[in-house]
Amino acid sequence: MNMDLQQLYQETIVDHGRRPHNLGPLPDETHHAEGFNPLCGDRLVLHLRIVDDRIEAARFEGSGCAISMASASLMTDALRGLSSDQAGRMSTDFQAMLTAGTPAPDLGKLEVLAGVRNYPTRIKCATLAWHALRAALANAPQTVHTE
Ligand code: ZN
């Protein structure tokens, strides 16, 4: 990879790690799941609002290293508007990019995390949010009781 591009990728990760997008609770969520990466101490809870099989909102709460926060930040940005099938496919593509080095042109900005493949101990940091995503999508929607 060319050095300028590598630096740009690095800066994007640091930036999202410091100031994650979509950080905070989602009061009208329909799905959620928690993730914990004991190797690094990264923890997060992913909140989704899915209406008519369309992800209307994705937010997360938690704390961890820059890579785990950047991955959750970029993932929640990318999920909005997707169907659960599309989100599942994105998760598979992301995992393949990190573990097998499969090019993933459809991942857009998430491609900045491709370099994590060279640091095997950090791969679990990058995939944590995605494990939570798969768990959240597998949940039956919660019944909301307002009374
Ligand atoms: Zn980490």
Side-chain angles (χ1 to χ4, degrees):
M1 191 184 294
N2 109 18
M3 283 309 287
D4 288 348
L5 195 57
Q6 204 164 29
Q7 182 154 10
L8 175 71
Y9 281 12
Q10 188 66 41
E11 281 169 12
T12 305
I13 292 170
V14 169
D15 200 47
H16 277 265
R18 279 198 192 130
R19 286 179 295 276
H21 297 182
N22 314 306
L23 185 66
L26 183 64
D28 50 356
E29 68 176 12
T30 57
H31 294 61
H32 80 266
E34 292 184 48
F36 176 51
N37 171 22
L39 284 178
C40 182
D42 311 314
R43 262 176 209 287
L44 60 84
V45 184
L46 177 68
H47 306 286
L48 301 175
R49 183 169 72 241
I50 305 179
V51 177
D52 296 334
D53 196 38
R54 199 56 58 182
I55 299 174
E56 284 191 345
R59 293 176 67 77
F60 74 101
E61 295 176 278
S63 61
C65 68
I67 291 172
S68 67
M69 293 296 105
S71 187
S73 173
L74 289 159
M75 180 188 84
T76 47
D77 271 353
L79 287 177
R80 253 191 315 272
L82 300 186
S83 69
S84 47
D85 272 2
Q86 288 170 323
R89 262 200 303 281
M90 185 177 265
S91 157
T92 306
D93 287 353
F94 185 79
Q95 189 87 28
M97 176 179 82
L98 281 191
T99 56
T102 312
D106 295 341
L107 285 178
K109 268 193 166 182
L110 285 157
E111 223 190 332
V112 300
L113 289 158
V116 174
R117 182 164 187 252
N118 300 318
Y119 306 91
T121 57
R122 310 309 298 278
I123 288 176
K124 284 201 160 71
C125 301
T127 56
L128 178 65
W130 300 83
H131 286 298
L133 171 63
R134 278 195 291 273
L137 291 175
N139 285 346
Q142 294 176 343
T143 309
V144 179
H145 294 283
T146 52
E147 297 173 37

